[in-house]
Amino acid sequence: MSISLSIENLEVVYGKARSVNGISLSVETGQIIAIIGPVGAGKSTVFDAVFGLNESTGKIEFEGQDLRKIPPQKIVELGVAYAPERGNLFTQMNVHDNLLTGAYRARKDIKKNLELVYDLFPILKDRKTQETATQSGGERQMLSLGRALMSSPRLLLVDEPTIGLSPKVCLSIAEALGKLNKQHGLTILIAEQNANFALSLAEYIYLLEIGRITRHGTSAELLKEDVIRKSYFGNSNESGDKA
Amino acid sequence: MLQILVQGLVLSGFYALIAVGFTLIFSVGRVLNLAYGSFLMLGGYIYYQGAQVVGLPKFPSLIIAGIAGAVFGMLVYRILVKRLSGNVVAVEIATLILAVVVQAAVVLVFSPSPKSMWPLVPGVLRIGDASVTYNIFIAAVVSWILLGGLFLFTGMTHMGRAIRAVSMDSKGAVISGIDPERVNILTWAISGTFGAIAGVFLATYTQLDPNMWVTPLIIAVAVVIVGGIGSILGSLVAAHIIGMLETITTSLIAAELRGVATMLIIIAVLLVAPKGLFGKSEL
């Protein structure tokens, strides 16, 4: 298997605080990998660093290419897409225009990608002309994923896809991500505080706490550890993530 | 009554052009360009130089003024605004200083005395009992063509959508592959063009003089405060409110009170709805 994303010794410093402290991880092509950890652990910071949206040091490579040498707006062109926490959607645009904007650097694939997105999330097709500001949290999350998919990515970074969503919507998001991975071969890196959600999808999990990776392993391996099971996976099916 | 309506409508169309050029920059770059009045003044003087000094035909002179406005806008962005990016107050002070510098330059080059301009098209258009000069009528028509063009451009093209995207969420835009730098440059160019062409109309409607940057800046600020800062739709509506109000004041009360009504409505909106009628952020 070839390596899709490789991060080595990543450090991000905000002011005097070091919010990500020398983390390393790698994602193989075709995998779903999750970074789990509490709010403020630095998950979003890692994703922002991949896109060059903050000042960081360390190595970040996508398919062997050094991402640090590429301006943020060109990274999507290489095949990396990012669905950030809470979307960063264009709220005064309608659903369709949001999707078209996601295709800014993949204009040839618009028709194919629109079909993919509308097939994956039929509700978006029904709400095509609705202004995004008036949409529900679940629809916005779907739109955020949809917009990312419009760039024809090979690697998708998804930050907190379940935040504030009902279990039913979480399930359909999980189904969509699973389908993208299995049927379309999309490599996916998810950041989640909802460890159960991450567990249901990812084959390998990194635990990020206060800017450091404290554990990593397959889901089965992590579940064996008492501390982790209690603090992150809980005993119920609800998000047992409160650290 | 019809006279007020017709006069108000054409004036409003023209005010909308002035205001949209101004608010476009705010909605994309989140800065107030207080040198915006200079875009109008420069447009007016360049048109004058072309059409009345060199003797070029009017239409090409108008185009040249528009292109010069675009170039000036891009230069202001590159040389001044970009370097101060992130510091909103510094941008406001610097652009205001630039406006004063441009005024001094115009005095040096063209002399301080006002110049009267020939109308774009002489004559008077009669609509029923009402009459309006062809000059301001054409200004309104061209304004609406430009605004309609902008509407289509931002609605239908990738680059146009990119402008809207940056104005709504710059992180969302960057991760979609949009270069905010290109969008900013383009916005300043469009603003420069709109300003310069509006300046030609303003100069033919009133006169050309080195202080003429102040009034359009006040109109632009007024429209933007009333409509809601950063909202293009709000600017269009507010331009009509202010255009109509000015026409009503000047026709029914006294011509000297033209600007007073505008000031009163600014204060009223700031007190009652600080975000403006359609705005999302406070000034």
Side-chain angles (χ1 to χ4, degrees), chain B residues 13-14 37 46 49-50 63 68 99 105 127 162 172 183 187 223-224 231 239-240 266 269:
Chain B
F14 167 54
I46 285 170
Q49 194 66 22
I63 302 281
I127 304 168
V183 166
T187 314
V223 167
V224 164
S231 163
H240 283 77
I266 293 184
V269 168

Side-chain angles (χ1 to χ4, degrees), chain B residues 107-127:
Chain B
V107 169
L108 270 178
V109 178
F110 294 98
S111 94
S113 55
K115 298 180 194 313
S116 66
M117 301 263 285
W118 305 327
L120 289 163
V121 177
V124 173
L125 175 71
R126 300 204 174 276
I127 304 168

Side-chain angles (χ1 to χ4, degrees), chain B residues 102-174:
Chain B
V102 172
Q103 175 180 352
V106 166
V107 169
L108 270 178
V109 178
F110 294 98
S111 94
S113 55
K115 298 180 194 313
S116 66
M117 301 263 285
W118 305 327
L120 289 163
V121 177
V124 173
L125 175 71
R126 300 204 174 276
I127 304 168
D129 290 340
S131 63
V132 56
T133 61
Y134 270 119
N135 191 57
I136 185 79
F137 178 74
I138 286 184
V141 170
V142 175
S143 297
W144 278 113
I145 291 172
L146 289 174
L147 292 170
L150 180 71
F151 179 76
L152 289 179
F153 174 68
T154 54
M156 320 274 280
T157 66
H158 284 285
M159 199 60 214
R161 263 193 300 272
I163 292 181
R164 282 158 67 212
V166 172
S167 78
M168 291 174 203
D169 193 308
S170 59
K171 180 177 173 181
V174 170

